[in-house]
Amino acid sequence: MQDRPLDRREFLKRTGYLAGGVAALGGAGALAWRAGAQPPMVLPSQSKPGNFSDLHIRLVMAPAAVSLFPGTPTDVWQYTGTVISGRSRQLEPIPGSYLGPTIHVARGNRLRVRMENALPEATITHWHGLDVPEDQDGHPRFAVLPGEVYNYDFTVNERAGLYWYHPHPDMRTAAQVVKGLAGLIRVTDEHEAKFDLPSGEYEIPLVIQDRTFDSNNQIAYAPGALLGYLGNQVLVNGFPALTKTCRTRCYRLRIINGSNARTYKLAWADGTPITVIGTEGGLLEAPVTRPYVMLTPGERLDVWADFSAKTVGSQMILRSLAWTPGGVGGGGQAPVNGAAMTIATFNIAAAASEYRSLPPYFGDFETLTLDQATNAGSPRIFQISYILSGGQPVWLLNGAVFDMNTTLPNENMPRNTVEVWEIRNTLASPVMPHPIHFHGRHFQVLQRIGPTGGANLTAYNTVNQGFINAAWKDTVLVMPGETVRLLVRTSDFPGLYVYHCHLLEHEDMGMMRNFRILA
Ligand code: C2O
Ligand code: CU
Ligand code: CU
């Protein structure tokens, strides 16, 4: 039972970071997964915003058990939901999965959530990607004790896109997420609806997570001191070895990296370029194609998958290709971060009569420009660094470890203002990639200043064709030796929010800071 905040150093000791990652077990049970299982994961086909309304739900966070493998069920922690008022189809469970129900809303809907903590420890829920008032955002200072309730009430005012929710208590986010606590929020709007994109069974969510299971089918959680938790197998939507039966037509894949620490380099196994139509903050101005796309923890991708020229009986395999994290980033248990892995297999099993072509242009995309920025000449700088504190490794953001209530001077910013922010991953050693996330803020990548030589450049060259920069984003991968410049419009909600590394073990060890939107 944890009913009061831990001392951070005590926490690091207790959770075994210092042990440097105890060998985790991948027993026979882990290999005997349900190959070919077809998890139901069909989103409601009504994509028109007019079919959505305000929603009031109850979300209970509690221990549960799911049957992932033959034999012993796997103990998990899970969100389960019920509709208090609103349309029941707007809350969609994923049967058999440890993931929470998908919340469907249209832009402008009011969302009320009665969160009940039935866990044996404190928690709070964060709506990743939504810009909401400070007491609605799931800041760790609002964590509630076991048996307590937190009531949320806010308006969803985001572009159509795939957002998500997960716990956010200080020092316990990684451990709670790895046990299964996470769910999707699918936001639709009038602009998206115009394009009549593939929906219903042709819109497939892919929540990518990695886990290691012990020989008794239980989640083995032994994160590395520097690298965080790298599981030995990929789960999609909470299921091992996802195989999906498809037709010869177009699909919309709504992809999210819900892993604690693993970054994927997504590509089609047969070399077909990957077509991206959206990111964290919704549709791009126009589709783009890439040989592969990087997807770091917290990031989302909206992918157009055209199987219409495939022959019935063929397969399309979504892979994570090998890449080099650089520095210490590629170490740890096998498969290391950067190892090649299969993500999902699409069996093209039947012909389809309907063909839908890729819209060439989505428009309605506001491009932020440098001359809008009030600090164009002097970016707000957030440096990534590292210290040994009492012999323990601690990653820092902006030169400091997380503190619940305070900000440093450069972490106070005016509301509703366009600024340039610069994230520097330029310390000499140790280095690794960090996925940096800002709460309640979408930004555009203005510029990536990559490393100029050495091992950092070698690593960079394995990933640098896989970034989508002209996009609304809320999480960005910053490679070793790299500086990323962002154009950000600050929130119009005053208050205290966090930004952090979305490598969840880094967040928990204190690679998180507050920023304050001034009134
Ligand atoms: Cu998904 Cu504070 O993060
Ligand atoms: Cu967030
Ligand atoms: Cu990090």
Side-chain angles (χ1 to χ4, degrees):
M1 292 276 281
Q2 178 205 339
D3 55 12
R4 68 199 151 78
L6 293 167
D7 168 71
R8 191 172 306 279
R9 188 163 300 172
E10 240 342 275
F11 157 75
L12 291 167
K13 279 191 195 136
R14 257 193 239 179
T15 50
Y17 284 114
L18 306 182
V22 178
L25 315 159
L31 299 172
W33 32 252
R34 299 184 306 181
Q38 292 291 324
M41 50 181 187
V42 177
L43 296 165
S45 53
Q46 301 99 318
S47 279
K48 306 284 178 258
N51 294 328
F52 294 82
S53 60
D54 294 346
L55 187 65
H56 187 187
I57 60 173
R58 181 170 168 248
L59 269 188
V60 181
M61 302 166 79
V66 293
S67 234
L68 287 180
F69 306 103
T72 315
T74 302
D75 293 328
V76 297
W77 287 358
Q78 189 175 35
Y79 284 98
T80 51
T82 46
V83 173
I84 296 170
S85 69
R87 303 188 187 187
S88 60
R89 294 199 65 176
Q90 285 180 233
L91 191 69
E92 184 199 26
I94 303 176
S97 175
Y98 55 74
L99 292 173
T102 300
I103 299 170
H104 298 271
V105 284
R107 184 174 194 171
N109 284 165
R110 175 183 179 191
L111 180 60
R112 276 177 292 168
V113 180
R114 175 186 160 88
M115 184 202 89
E116 300 179 13
N117 179 8
L119 302 174
E121 62 183 47
T123 196
I124 191 69
T125 296
H126 167 58
W127 319 98
H128 182 130
L130 304 187
D131 181 18
V132 293
E134 63 169 342
D135 58 348
Q136 303 296 311
D137 186 56
H139 188 285
R141 73 188 187 282
F142 296 117
V144 297
L145 298 177
E148 292 185 347
V149 167
Y150 197 97
N151 278 300
Y152 295 89
D153 184 351
F154 55 84
T155 298
V156 177
N157 190 24
E158 306 306 325
R159 301 180 78 222
L162 188 68
Y163 302 85
W164 62 305
Y165 60 94
H166 62 75
H168 220 288
D170 188 24
M171 296 184 273
R172 292 294 292 166
T173 294
Q176 293 190 6
V177 170
V178 87
K179 279 177 168 289
L181 289 166
L184 300 177
I185 307 171
R186 174 173 164 274
V187 179
T188 186
D189 67 10
E190 296 290 350
H191 174 67
E192 179 193 56
K194 278 189 252 170
F195 298 98
D196 200 18
L197 296 167
S199 63
E201 67 177 290
Y202 308 117
E203 180 182 8
I204 304 176
L206 298 175
V207 181
I208 307 174
Q209 298 178 306
D210 58 333
R211 298 280 186 274
T212 297
F213 296 89
D214 68 18
S215 55
N216 197 33
N217 295 342
Q218 302 308 307
I219 296 167
Y221 184 57
L226 291 174
L227 300 171
Y229 180 64
L230 296 166
N232 67 6
Q233 65 173 299
V234 168
L235 284 80
V236 176
N237 302 337
F239 299 93
L242 181 82
T243 301
K244 177 80 185 154
T245 301
C246 292
R247 295 168 181 273
T248 55
R249 52 156 294 148
C250 298
Y251 285 80
R252 184 181 185 190
L253 309 181
R254 312 296 300 269
I255 309 177
I256 166 171
N257 184 350
S259 307
N260 280 30
R262 189 179 292 281
T263 293
Y264 303 95
K265 177 180 177 176
L266 296 178
W268 293 111
D270 70 352
T272 302
I274 191 159
T275 300
V276 177
I277 62 172
T279 55
E280 291 95 283
L283 292 173
L284 304 176
E285 183 164 36
V288 298
T289 56
R290 292 281 186 278
Y292 58 83
V293 188
M294 301 307 294
L295 192 69
T296 202
E299 281 185 313
R300 284 89 73 201
L301 282 173
D302 204 336
V303 166
W304 180 271
D306 185 354
F307 301 150
S308 57
K310 303 293 165 195
T311 50
V312 171
S314 66
Q315 283 189 328
M316 283 293 276
I317 299 172
L318 188 65
R319 296 269 293 161
S320 181
L321 305 181
W323 61 283
T324 306
V328 297
Q333 296 282 313
V336 298
N337 199 18
M341 301 177 109
T342 292
I343 307 295
T345 302
F346 302 88
N347 284 329
I348 319 297
S353 46
E354 188 192 355
Y355 180 75
R356 200 168 292 201
S357 57
L358 173 65
Y361 182 75
F362 296 111
D364 192 30
F365 186 92
E366 180 198 9
T367 301
L368 298 178
T369 58
L370 189 56
D371 49 82
Q372 291 173 271
T374 54
N375 66 340
S378 55
R380 207 178 271 282
I381 293 166
F382 302 105
Q383 177 78 47
I384 291 169
S385 59
Y386 170 91
I387 52 164
L388 282 172
S389 164
Q392 298 162 27
V394 182
W395 293 101
L396 303 178
L397 256 186
N398 203 28
V401 76
F402 182 58
D403 178 79
M404 194 65 93
N405 297 299
T406 64
T407 53
L408 291 167
N410 69 325
E411 292 167 331
N412 300 323
M413 47 197 71
R415 68 201 284 182
N416 195 17
T417 302
V418 177
E419 292 194 349
V420 190
W421 295 0
E422 189 171 298
I423 307 167
R424 294 183 177 172
N425 190 6
T426 52
L427 82 159
S429 169
V431 293
M432 62 180 290
H434 299 273
I436 304 299
H437 168 57
F438 294 88
H439 278 211
R441 266 314 74 204
H442 291 272
F443 50 76
Q444 291 169 10
V445 176
L446 173 67
Q447 192 182 10
R448 286 179 171 271
I449 305 164
T452 49
N456 285 345
L457 181 60
T458 307
Y460 200 64
N461 287 336
T462 68
V463 301
N464 65 7
Q465 292 176 69
F467 297 126
I468 313 285
N469 293 333
W472 284 110
K473 298 181 57 57
D474 60 39
T475 308
V476 66
L477 180 64
V478 190
M479 286 293 288
E482 188 178 32
T483 291
V484 177
R485 288 208 177 119
L486 309 175
L487 279 168
V488 187
R489 179 179 285 118
T490 59
S491 175
D492 206 20
F493 293 117
L496 198 63
Y497 296 86
V498 290
Y499 65 107
H500 57 88
C501 184
H502 218 287
L503 196 162
L504 295 181
E505 287 78 17
H506 287 185
E507 171 184 339
D508 281 349
M509 70 168 64
M511 195 180 183
M512 171 159 73
R513 293 288 307 164
N514 284 319
F515 65 96
R516 184 182 297 282
I517 304 290
L518 302 168

